[in-house]
Short mmCIF file of all heavy atoms in Angstrom, two decimals:
data_model
loop_
_atom_site.label_atom_id
_atom_site.label_comp_id
_atom_site.label_asym_id
_atom_site.label_seq_id
_atom_site.Cartn_x
_atom_site.Cartn_y
_atom_site.Cartn_z
N GLU A 94 118.57 111.32 88.14
CA GLU A 94 119.19 112.66 87.93
C GLU A 94 118.48 113.64 86.94
O GLU A 94 118.38 114.79 87.19
CB GLU A 94 120.68 112.46 87.42
CG GLU A 94 121.58 112.04 88.59
CD GLU A 94 123.02 111.96 88.03
OE1 GLU A 94 123.47 112.75 87.29
OE2 GLU A 94 123.76 111.00 88.54
N GLU A 95 118.00 113.01 85.84
CA GLU A 95 117.34 113.77 84.82
C GLU A 95 116.04 114.39 85.39
O GLU A 95 115.73 115.58 85.20
CB GLU A 95 116.99 112.89 83.62
CG GLU A 95 116.40 113.70 82.46
CD GLU A 95 116.12 112.76 81.25
OE1 GLU A 95 117.01 112.05 80.89
OE2 GLU A 95 115.00 112.93 80.72
N GLU A 96 115.28 113.60 86.15
CA GLU A 96 114.02 114.10 86.70
C GLU A 96 114.31 115.12 87.78
O GLU A 96 113.54 116.05 87.91
CB GLU A 96 113.26 112.92 87.31
CG GLU A 96 112.66 111.97 86.27
CD GLU A 96 112.13 110.63 86.82
OE1 GLU A 96 112.66 110.23 87.97
OE2 GLU A 96 111.32 110.12 86.19
N GLU A 97 115.39 114.89 88.56
CA GLU A 97 115.67 115.84 89.66
C GLU A 97 116.03 117.21 89.05
O GLU A 97 115.61 118.22 89.60
CB GLU A 97 116.97 115.37 90.46
CG GLU A 97 117.14 116.05 91.76
CD GLU A 97 118.03 115.29 92.68
OE1 GLU A 97 117.91 114.04 92.78
OE2 GLU A 97 118.83 115.99 93.35
N GLU A 98 116.65 117.25 87.93
CA GLU A 98 116.94 118.56 87.16
C GLU A 98 115.68 119.20 86.70
O GLU A 98 115.70 120.41 86.60
CB GLU A 98 117.94 118.25 86.04
CG GLU A 98 119.33 117.86 86.44
CD GLU A 98 120.22 117.46 85.28
OE1 GLU A 98 119.73 117.67 84.12
OE2 GLU A 98 121.33 117.05 85.49
N GLN A 99 114.65 118.44 86.51
CA GLN A 99 113.47 119.01 85.99
C GLN A 99 112.54 119.47 87.11
O GLN A 99 111.62 120.29 86.96
CB GLN A 99 112.60 117.94 85.23
CG GLN A 99 113.27 117.56 83.85
CD GLN A 99 112.45 116.44 83.16
OE1 GLN A 99 111.25 116.37 83.31
NE2 GLN A 99 113.15 115.51 82.48
N MET A 100 112.85 119.00 88.36
CA MET A 100 112.00 119.37 89.50
C MET A 100 112.72 120.40 90.39
O MET A 100 112.00 121.20 91.04
CB MET A 100 111.67 118.14 90.33
CG MET A 100 110.62 118.24 91.37
SD MET A 100 110.01 116.70 91.97
CE MET A 100 109.46 117.21 93.53
N TYR A 101 114.02 120.47 90.46
CA TYR A 101 114.74 121.36 91.38
C TYR A 101 115.73 122.22 90.64
O TYR A 101 116.22 121.85 89.57
CB TYR A 101 115.52 120.47 92.42
CG TYR A 101 114.72 119.65 93.29
CD1 TYR A 101 114.63 118.32 93.15
CD2 TYR A 101 113.94 120.22 94.36
CE1 TYR A 101 113.84 117.51 94.00
CE2 TYR A 101 113.15 119.43 95.18
CZ TYR A 101 113.07 118.08 95.01
OH TYR A 101 112.30 117.32 95.82
N VAL A 102 115.93 123.34 91.25
CA VAL A 102 116.92 124.31 90.66
C VAL A 102 117.90 124.61 91.79
O VAL A 102 117.55 124.80 92.90
CB VAL A 102 116.33 125.68 90.30
CG1 VAL A 102 117.27 126.68 89.91
CG2 VAL A 102 115.21 125.43 89.21
N THR A 103 119.20 124.49 91.47
CA THR A 103 120.27 124.85 92.39
C THR A 103 120.70 126.24 92.16
O THR A 103 121.08 126.62 91.09
CB THR A 103 121.46 123.94 92.37
OG1 THR A 103 120.91 122.60 92.59
CG2 THR A 103 122.48 124.23 93.42
N HIS A 104 120.65 127.15 93.20
CA HIS A 104 121.01 128.61 93.06
C HIS A 104 122.49 128.76 93.33
O HIS A 104 123.20 127.93 93.85
CB HIS A 104 120.15 129.33 94.05
CG HIS A 104 118.66 129.20 93.82
ND1 HIS A 104 117.96 129.78 92.82
CD2 HIS A 104 117.83 128.44 94.56
CE1 HIS A 104 116.71 129.41 92.89
NE2 HIS A 104 116.56 128.57 93.90
N LEU A 105 122.95 129.88 92.98
CA LEU A 105 124.35 130.26 93.09
C LEU A 105 124.85 130.10 94.55
O LEU A 105 126.02 129.79 94.85
CB LEU A 105 124.71 131.66 92.53
CG LEU A 105 124.50 131.84 91.08
CD1 LEU A 105 124.74 133.35 90.72
CD2 LEU A 105 125.40 130.94 90.30
N ASP A 106 123.97 130.37 95.48
CA ASP A 106 124.40 130.32 96.91
C ASP A 106 124.37 128.85 97.47
O ASP A 106 124.54 128.61 98.62
CB ASP A 106 123.57 131.20 97.82
CG ASP A 106 122.09 130.85 97.76
OD1 ASP A 106 121.66 129.91 97.09
OD2 ASP A 106 121.33 131.54 98.54
N GLY A 107 124.02 127.88 96.58
CA GLY A 107 123.98 126.50 96.99
C GLY A 107 122.66 125.98 97.42
O GLY A 107 122.53 124.78 97.69
N THR A 108 121.72 126.89 97.62
CA THR A 108 120.35 126.46 98.07
C THR A 108 119.60 125.85 96.86
O THR A 108 119.88 126.09 95.74
CB THR A 108 119.51 127.67 98.60
OG1 THR A 108 119.41 128.59 97.61
CG2 THR A 108 120.22 128.20 99.83
N THR A 109 118.60 125.04 97.26
CA THR A 109 117.80 124.37 96.17
C THR A 109 116.39 124.75 96.32
O THR A 109 115.91 124.84 97.48
CB THR A 109 117.98 122.85 96.34
OG1 THR A 109 119.38 122.58 96.29
CG2 THR A 109 117.26 122.10 95.25
N SER A 110 115.70 124.85 95.23
CA SER A 110 114.23 125.07 95.31
C SER A 110 113.59 124.38 94.08
O SER A 110 114.24 123.88 93.29
CB SER A 110 113.91 126.61 95.25
OG SER A 110 114.34 127.15 93.94
N PHE A 111 112.23 124.34 94.18
CA PHE A 111 111.52 123.76 93.08
C PHE A 111 111.60 124.60 91.88
O PHE A 111 111.72 125.86 91.85
CB PHE A 111 110.04 123.59 93.45
CG PHE A 111 109.70 122.59 94.37
CD1 PHE A 111 109.08 122.86 95.59
CD2 PHE A 111 109.98 121.19 94.20
CE1 PHE A 111 108.71 121.87 96.49
CE2 PHE A 111 109.67 120.27 95.14
CZ PHE A 111 109.00 120.61 96.32
N THR A 112 111.45 123.94 90.67
CA THR A 112 111.27 124.64 89.43
C THR A 112 109.89 125.31 89.53
O THR A 112 109.00 125.06 90.44
CB THR A 112 111.30 123.78 88.23
OG1 THR A 112 110.25 122.81 88.27
CG2 THR A 112 112.60 123.05 88.06
N GLU A 113 109.55 126.27 88.66
CA GLU A 113 108.26 126.90 88.75
C GLU A 113 107.06 125.92 88.56
O GLU A 113 106.12 126.01 89.34
CB GLU A 113 108.26 127.93 87.62
CG GLU A 113 107.08 128.98 87.73
CD GLU A 113 107.13 130.12 86.80
OE1 GLU A 113 108.28 130.61 86.54
OE2 GLU A 113 106.09 130.45 86.23
N GLU A 114 107.23 124.95 87.66
CA GLU A 114 106.23 123.99 87.39
C GLU A 114 105.97 123.11 88.72
O GLU A 114 104.88 122.92 89.11
CB GLU A 114 106.56 122.98 86.24
CG GLU A 114 105.54 121.97 86.06
CD GLU A 114 106.04 120.92 85.03
OE1 GLU A 114 107.13 120.96 84.52
OE2 GLU A 114 105.09 120.05 84.65
#
Side-chain angles (χ1 to χ4, degrees):
E94 279 186 41
E95 185 179 312
E96 292 168 335
E97 196 164 317
E98 289 174 7
Q99 294 175 35
M100 189 165 159
Y101 297 104
V102 175
T103 303
H104 303 282
L105 294 175
D106 64 359
T108 60
T109 304
S110 64
F111 286 122
T112 62
E113 193 172 319
E114 177 189 7

